[in-house]
Every structure is written in C-alpha cells, then in structure tokens.
Amino acid sequence: MTGSEPGRTATDTVADTAAPRPRRPVIAITGPDQGGGPAWLFTALAVWRAGGRPLRLRPGKPRSHRRFDGLVVGGGADVDPELYGETLPEGPDAAAIRQAERRLSQRLIGYLFYPALWLLRRLFQSHGGVLDTDRDRLEKALIHRALDEHRPILGICRGMQLVNVVRGGTLHRDLAEFYVETPQARSLLPVKRVRLDPHSRLAAILGDPPLHVNALHDQAVDRLGQGLNVAGREPSRVVQAIETEQDFCIGVQWHPEYLPQKTRHQRLFRALVTAARRPRPQADDG
C-alpha cells in the first residue's frame, strides 16, 4: 500500500493534478450613454456564456486605460454620414418609425420572451435616427486599436456599418430600392433569410445552410471597405455580413444577442472568445 499525506483524499489528489481553468478573456462591449441597457445585458450574457468577461465601454465611461482581448461594437444610432463623405438628409421619418414599432408589437403577440425584450428596448433604446458623434469617435478609436493590436472584432448592426466605414467603405442610408416588391422586415424574431458564402469564415462558424435572422436596421453596407469581403446577403441583395480575410473581424447586420435560445447564433460569441484567447502577433516596433 503506498503512503499518502495524512488527511488527504483521492479527490484532493485529482484536484491538484487537474489543469487550471482557462482565464476568461476580457471582451469590451460598446454602447451609448443613454439607452442601450437591454443590448448591453443580452450581449454581456452571450459573452459570459461563451467563456468571456464582458467590459462595458461608452462615451461617458470610455475606460481608455483598460486592456481588452476582444471587441464587440454594438448596435444603436446611425453612423454619422460625414464619416463616409456624405451629408445628412432632412431626418428620419418619425411616423414611419412608430408605424414599424406598432407592426413589431403585433408580431410579438403570443410569445413570452420577445414581448419582454421589446418592452425593454422601447424603454431604454436610443433610436437609430439620432446621431451620436461622441460614440462614433470612441468606437472608431477602439476599432483602430483592435485592428492594430490584432484583437478580434465582432460588429453588430451599427457596429458592422462602422467597421466598414473605418476601413474606407460607405453605407446605404435608404434601403427602399431593395424592397420594391417585398416589404422590408423589421422584427426581433428571426424572420429574414440570409445566405452565407460557403467559403467564408462566418460559414465555417455558423454552418453553410441559409440562416434566419432578425432585422432592426435602416441602413446597410454599400461600397466595401479595404480588406473586407461580403460573407452573407439576404434575397434582396442587401449585405448582411462582412469579414476580413486575415484577422478575426466579422460584422453582422442582425442582432445575435437577442437570440440567446438559438445555439447557431451563439456560436458567433464562442468564436469571438476563442479568437480572443489565441496569442497575437507582436507589434512591429519599427
């Protein structure tokens, strides 16, 4: 019989030899100063479930000194058109926005999860038609920092659009021409079909079959930014996903954070956290 330390059990021995639990990478999540609470909560939950540690960043609390391993650029207000060389039109049609929200509320009748989420968004959201230049500046700086430091990026809705603008691309401010025969869907439910490029990184993460997504956007990618490829489109040809060829930088036009019950959509956050754990190339000191 082999000797052992007094008072120690087999469980203690196994615990000593077990591999240490991997560190949770810090995932910065951007948002506005006013509103954005539901988006933050659902995105933070998705990041935590994927194995990351969420860090909230907003213009009033940028936490510029904080290190992060990955970046989620969230949805919200329209990107300032001046950032991609265009002028602001007269303004959003408030009546159309209210009408779309009424249609949305009617679709949610009979569901348990989505009515509560819709109510949270109505109480705390910042509507897309209101520009947020302070947020634009913060997120542009964070995107540049993440690209320079080879940290993974996930852009959601507005976040995808801003990634495209930072890389020199432009946006469609009005999508009416894409929905002449088929009305534009606007819903928290996954009612829109997206076909992914089977050769894309995104398809490798989510799978190749058509994906059903929600739709809350009023703008979309027009001219692609430098180094970006289209990873997915809807039947109307509106770009629904973009990505870079090298580092992990993916943008999606839908809101995967609002689909916590859909395993396929949550793979995006797991892929982001996995990429955030990988060693990064050393910066060139010149």
Side-chain angles (χ1 to χ4, degrees), residues 160-176:
M160 162 178 153
Q161 298 165 11
L162 188 58
V163 167
N164 186 61
V165 169
V166 167
R167 300 301 295 260
T170 61
L171 304 178
H172 289 292
R173 294 200 313 269
D174 183 359
L175 302 181

mmCIF file of all heavy atoms in Angstrom, residues 160-176:
data_model
loop_
_atom_site.group_PDB
_atom_site.id
_atom_site.type_symbol
_atom_site.label_atom_id
_atom_site.label_comp_id
_atom_site.label_asym_id
_atom_site.label_seq_id
_atom_site.Cartn_x
_atom_site.Cartn_y
_atom_site.Cartn_z
ATOM 1 N N MET A 160 -21.284 46.761 -37.423
ATOM 2 C CA MET A 160 -20.813 46.281 -38.721
ATOM 3 C C MET A 160 -20.643 47.445 -39.686
ATOM 4 O O MET A 160 -19.646 47.537 -40.420
ATOM 5 C CB MET A 160 -21.814 45.272 -39.289
ATOM 6 C CG MET A 160 -21.688 45.025 -40.790
ATOM 7 S SD MET A 160 -22.853 43.790 -41.377
ATOM 8 C CE MET A 160 -23.051 44.296 -43.082
ATOM 9 N N GLN A 161 -21.611 48.359 -39.691
ATOM 10 C CA GLN A 161 -21.538 49.506 -40.591
ATOM 11 C C GLN A 161 -20.333 50.384 -40.281
ATOM 12 O O GLN A 161 -19.645 50.863 -41.189
ATOM 13 C CB GLN A 161 -22.837 50.302 -40.488
ATOM 14 C CG GLN A 161 -24.069 49.532 -40.910
ATOM 15 C CD GLN A 161 -25.369 50.180 -40.466
ATOM 16 O OE1 GLN A 161 -25.374 51.321 -40.011
ATOM 17 N NE2 GLN A 161 -26.476 49.462 -40.578
ATOM 18 N N LEU A 162 -20.050 50.592 -38.990
ATOM 19 C CA LEU A 162 -18.929 51.447 -38.623
ATOM 20 C C LEU A 162 -17.593 50.786 -38.955
ATOM 21 O O LEU A 162 -16.648 51.460 -39.368
ATOM 22 C CB LEU A 162 -18.997 51.791 -37.134
ATOM 23 C CG LEU A 162 -17.997 52.843 -36.657
ATOM 24 C CD1 LEU A 162 -18.164 54.148 -37.427
ATOM 25 C CD2 LEU A 162 -18.144 53.107 -35.160
ATOM 26 N N VAL A 163 -17.500 49.470 -38.782
ATOM 27 C CA VAL A 163 -16.285 48.760 -39.202
ATOM 28 C C VAL A 163 -16.042 48.999 -40.682
ATOM 29 O O VAL A 163 -14.912 49.282 -41.112
ATOM 30 C CB VAL A 163 -16.395 47.254 -38.901
ATOM 31 C CG1 VAL A 163 -15.292 46.481 -39.619
ATOM 32 C CG2 VAL A 163 -16.306 46.996 -37.397
ATOM 33 N N ASN A 164 -17.092 48.913 -41.493
ATOM 34 C CA ASN A 164 -16.948 49.138 -42.928
ATOM 35 C C ASN A 164 -16.497 50.564 -43.211
ATOM 36 O O ASN A 164 -15.627 50.798 -44.070
ATOM 37 C CB ASN A 164 -18.276 48.862 -43.633
ATOM 38 C CG ASN A 164 -18.167 48.925 -45.137
ATOM 39 O OD1 ASN A 164 -17.425 48.160 -45.751
ATOM 40 N ND2 ASN A 164 -18.901 49.840 -45.751
ATOM 41 N N VAL A 165 -17.053 51.541 -42.498
ATOM 42 C CA VAL A 165 -16.680 52.944 -42.700
ATOM 43 C C VAL A 165 -15.231 53.185 -42.270
ATOM 44 O O VAL A 165 -14.476 53.888 -42.957
ATOM 45 C CB VAL A 165 -17.650 53.868 -41.927
ATOM 46 C CG1 VAL A 165 -17.131 55.295 -41.887
ATOM 47 C CG2 VAL A 165 -19.033 53.835 -42.572
ATOM 48 N N VAL A 166 -14.823 52.613 -41.147
ATOM 49 C CA VAL A 166 -13.442 52.770 -40.686
ATOM 50 C C VAL A 166 -12.458 52.232 -41.716
ATOM 51 O O VAL A 166 -11.375 52.791 -41.907
ATOM 52 C CB VAL A 166 -13.252 52.070 -39.324
ATOM 53 C CG1 VAL A 166 -11.777 51.928 -38.976
ATOM 54 C CG2 VAL A 166 -13.973 52.836 -38.220
ATOM 55 N N ARG A 167 -12.854 51.180 -42.431
ATOM 56 C CA ARG A 167 -11.978 50.616 -43.464
ATOM 57 C C ARG A 167 -12.125 51.331 -44.806
ATOM 58 O O ARG A 167 -11.591 50.872 -45.814
ATOM 59 C CB ARG A 167 -12.280 49.124 -43.648
ATOM 60 C CG ARG A 167 -12.086 48.257 -42.406
ATOM 61 C CD ARG A 167 -10.665 48.308 -41.867
ATOM 62 N NE ARG A 167 -9.706 47.753 -42.783
ATOM 63 C CZ ARG A 167 -9.197 46.522 -42.687
ATOM 64 N NH1 ARG A 167 -9.581 45.733 -41.710
ATOM 65 N NH2 ARG A 167 -8.305 46.079 -43.546
ATOM 66 N N GLY A 168 -12.845 52.457 -44.831
ATOM 67 C CA GLY A 168 -12.945 53.258 -46.044
ATOM 68 C C GLY A 168 -14.165 52.995 -46.889
ATOM 69 O O GLY A 168 -14.263 53.523 -48.011
ATOM 70 N N GLY A 169 -15.135 52.233 -46.384
ATOM 71 C CA GLY A 169 -16.337 51.932 -47.140
ATOM 72 C C GLY A 169 -17.429 52.968 -46.937
ATOM 73 O O GLY A 169 -17.271 53.943 -46.202
ATOM 74 N N THR A 170 -18.567 52.750 -47.590
ATOM 75 C CA THR A 170 -19.708 53.662 -47.487
ATOM 76 C C THR A 170 -20.961 52.862 -47.140
ATOM 77 O O THR A 170 -20.958 51.623 -47.160
ATOM 78 C CB THR A 170 -19.940 54.430 -48.804
ATOM 79 O OG1 THR A 170 -20.231 53.487 -49.843
ATOM 80 C CG2 THR A 170 -18.715 55.249 -49.177
ATOM 81 N N LEU A 171 -22.070 53.594 -46.881
ATOM 82 C CA LEU A 171 -23.319 52.970 -46.471
ATOM 83 C C LEU A 171 -24.481 53.431 -47.339
ATOM 84 O O LEU A 171 -24.475 54.546 -47.869
ATOM 85 C CB LEU A 171 -23.638 53.326 -45.008
ATOM 86 C CG LEU A 171 -22.595 52.996 -43.948
ATOM 87 C CD1 LEU A 171 -23.069 53.471 -42.580
ATOM 88 C CD2 LEU A 171 -22.274 51.508 -43.930
ATOM 89 N N HIS A 172 -25.487 52.560 -47.466
ATOM 90 C CA HIS A 172 -26.787 52.949 -47.997
ATOM 91 C C HIS A 172 -27.575 53.545 -46.833
ATOM 92 O O HIS A 172 -27.836 52.867 -45.840
ATOM 93 C CB HIS A 172 -27.553 51.732 -48.524
ATOM 94 C CG HIS A 172 -27.010 51.147 -49.784
ATOM 95 N ND1 HIS A 172 -27.066 51.799 -51.003
ATOM 96 C CD2 HIS A 172 -26.415 49.949 -50.025
ATOM 97 C CE1 HIS A 172 -26.527 51.030 -51.941
ATOM 98 N NE2 HIS A 172 -26.130 49.906 -51.380
ATOM 99 N N ARG A 173 -27.985 54.805 -46.954
ATOM 100 C CA ARG A 173 -28.805 55.419 -45.903
ATOM 101 C C ARG A 173 -30.289 55.092 -46.080
ATOM 102 O O ARG A 173 -31.063 55.151 -45.122
ATOM 103 C CB ARG A 173 -28.626 56.937 -45.891
ATOM 104 C CG ARG A 173 -27.228 57.386 -45.505
ATOM 105 C CD ARG A 173 -27.265 58.837 -45.049
ATOM 106 N NE ARG A 173 -28.008 59.694 -45.940
ATOM 107 C CZ ARG A 173 -27.486 60.370 -46.966
ATOM 108 N NH1 ARG A 173 -26.202 60.265 -47.220
ATOM 109 N NH2 ARG A 173 -28.241 61.147 -47.715
ATOM 110 N N ASP A 174 -30.687 54.748 -47.299
ATOM 111 C CA ASP A 174 -32.090 54.451 -47.595
ATOM 112 C C ASP A 174 -32.135 53.123 -48.347
ATOM 113 O O ASP A 174 -31.500 52.964 -49.388
ATOM 114 C CB ASP A 174 -32.696 55.574 -48.443
ATOM 115 C CG ASP A 174 -34.178 55.370 -48.718
ATOM 116 O OD1 ASP A 174 -34.723 54.347 -48.258
ATOM 117 O OD2 ASP A 174 -34.774 56.229 -49.394
ATOM 118 N N LEU A 175 -32.903 52.163 -47.822
ATOM 119 C CA LEU A 175 -32.948 50.828 -48.411
ATOM 120 C C LEU A 175 -34.206 50.587 -49.236
ATOM 121 O O LEU A 175 -34.486 49.455 -49.624
ATOM 122 C CB LEU A 175 -32.871 49.773 -47.298
ATOM 123 C CG LEU A 175 -31.629 49.836 -46.407
ATOM 124 C CD1 LEU A 175 -31.664 48.721 -45.371
ATOM 125 C CD2 LEU A 175 -30.347 49.761 -47.220
ATOM 126 N N ALA A 176 -34.974 51.662 -49.520
ATOM 127 C CA ALA A 176 -36.264 51.500 -50.202
ATOM 128 C C ALA A 176 -36.112 50.784 -51.543
ATOM 129 O O ALA A 176 -36.964 49.981 -51.929
ATOM 130 C CB ALA A 176 -36.917 52.869 -50.399
#
